[in-house]
Each structure stands twice: as structure tokens, then as C-alpha cells.
Amino acid sequence: MVCAHLRTILGTAPDIDVVEPAHDGEAALRAVERERPDIVLMDLRMPGMDGLTATERLRARPDAPVIVVLTTFDADEYVLRALRAGAAGFLVKSTPPEDLIDLVRAARRGHTVLSPEAMRRLINASSATEQHREHARRLVAGLTERETEVLACLGEGLSNAQIGKRLSLTEATVKSYVSRMLVKLGCENRTQAGLAAHNAGLVG
């Protein structure tokens, strides 16, 4: 039912094609191999191979699609593991239809699809160990002062434009900082960098 609902919503957008639904992880792997989609909306709880395993398998591909996790907020531990595996963000299944299309477009452009409220709830539920936090602090220590400021903004879920406005930087300059930070931190995307900001204590 959820899959059909999402397909109906996304099918109303002229610039989005839903190429193939899949109802378990194995089917998702086969669908990606056949269709080579730009984006996969991945549920976590599915029969057979779950969404976490499927996410890890897909992100290991050299031509990996962008993966956005779907959650109901009662599986936050698994969402964290999915984000660390390279998922670009997550959406709740109750996301309003008018927002869902814009969020999918944003993910396609490389943005984090994680609202500030969702980020706060996820981090509050995080079971990050002291080892994770210490590792994040060591990585952040290697950043410049400005890069650290930008990273803290990512931890709040801000866009490049919002970060530029707060720090009096151009959007292009922010993008450059973010690209360098991802390399220094060993993060695949902005969402992983945002989690590192929280683990390092940059965001309250």
C-alpha cells in the first residue's frame, strides 16, 4: 500500500519517472541492475533481505544510486546504520505529498533530505558509542576554523544558501568548503558529515 501510494504521488511530477517498484531487498537489487535509477527510496523493514542490507549492497556498487531511507521513527538505530552505509538521508512515511516531490528532486541534486526536526530526533535517539564520538572529534580537529563552522551548520540541516547567509559566504564558496570537508572527514555525503558534527559535539 505504501509503495502504491508513493508511486501515485511521484507519478504526478512531470520530471520524475518511477521505473520499477520492489517489495523486498533482493527485488530492489535486481531492479537497480535492470533500470539503473538515479534515486532509490528504501524502506527498512521488508521481507527477506531488509532495507539496511540492500542499502549496503547498493552503495558498494561503483555506479551506486542515491538512496533515501523511509522510516517511521521507530527504527532509528537502523536508520543510523543506513546513513553510515551511505544513504543520503531519510524521510518519514507520513511526508506530505507536496513535500515528497521536492525532497526527491533535492536528493537528485545532491542535497541532504533530512529536516532539522528529523535530524534532532534521530540524533537524540542515536546510540553512538564513545568510540564514535572520539573518532569524530579527532576528524574535526583536522578542519580549519571556517570548515568547522560550516560543518556545524550541516549538523543543523542547513542548505548551502542558508549556510552562506549565516556565515556571510557565497553559495559557491560554501559548496567548496563542503566538498573539502567531505574528503577530510571521509564522508560520502552531507548527511554523514552532519552526523559527525553531532558526534563531535558541534551541535547541541
Side-chain angles (χ1 to χ4, degrees):
M1 290 177 63
V2 172
C3 193
H5 177 63
L6 292 171
R7 187 170 192 173
T8 298
I9 293 171
L10 295 171
T12 64
D15 56 335
I16 296 177
D17 292 321
V18 180
V19 293
E20 186 170 346
H23 301 290
D24 60 64
E26 290 283 3
L29 297 182
R30 294 193 297 269
V32 169
E33 181 64 33
R34 283 192 298 269
E35 302 292 344
R36 305 297 174 90
D38 297 310
I39 294 178
V40 174
L41 296 182
M42 182 72 75
D43 201 348
L44 292 180
R45 295 180 174 179
M46 297 183 291
M49 181 187 293
D50 62 24
L52 176 61
T53 302
T55 295
E56 292 171 340
R57 296 274 188 91
L58 289 176
R59 289 303 301 170
R61 295 169 56 104
D63 57 345
V66 173
I67 297 178
V68 177
V69 169
L70 291 168
T71 183
T72 55
F73 272 124
D74 58 353
D76 291 334
E77 176 187 353
Y78 298 101
V79 174
L80 281 167
R81 289 175 60 189
L83 295 178
R84 289 173 182 144
F90 74 90
L91 304 175
V92 292
K93 293 179 181 178
S94 58
T95 300
E98 61 272 18
D99 294 339
L100 180 63
I101 292 173
D102 287 339
L103 289 167
V104 168
R105 289 171 176 151
R108 177 66 180 85
R109 295 194 299 269
H111 295 299
T112 299
V113 288
L114 189 66
S115 70
E117 178 187 0
M119 172 69 89
R120 286 192 296 271
R121 291 185 62 179
L122 178 60
I123 296 303
N124 287 340
S126 171
S127 57
T129 64
E130 180 57 34
Q131 182 179 7
H132 278 121
R133 290 190 285 269
E134 181 57 33
H135 179 64
R137 287 192 288 266
R138 285 199 302 269
L139 290 176
V140 171
L143 302 179
T144 66
E145 181 177 356
R146 181 60 91 182
E147 287 170 343
T148 303
E149 291 174 339
V150 173
L151 180 61
C153 292
L154 286 184
E156 295 182 44
L158 301 184
S159 67
N160 286 352
Q162 291 169 324
I163 295 172
K165 184 176 181 180
R166 175 178 293 186
L167 301 180
S168 299
L169 299 171
T170 66
E171 194 168 344
T173 299
V174 172
K175 185 176 181 180
S176 179
Y177 275 121
V178 171
S179 296
R180 289 201 300 270
M181 266 191 327
L182 293 181
V183 174
K184 288 185 177 182
L185 295 174
C187 294
E188 289 193 39
N189 52 49
R190 297 165 64 95
T191 307
Q192 287 187 349
L195 288 172
H198 280 268
N199 287 340
L202 298 183
V203 183

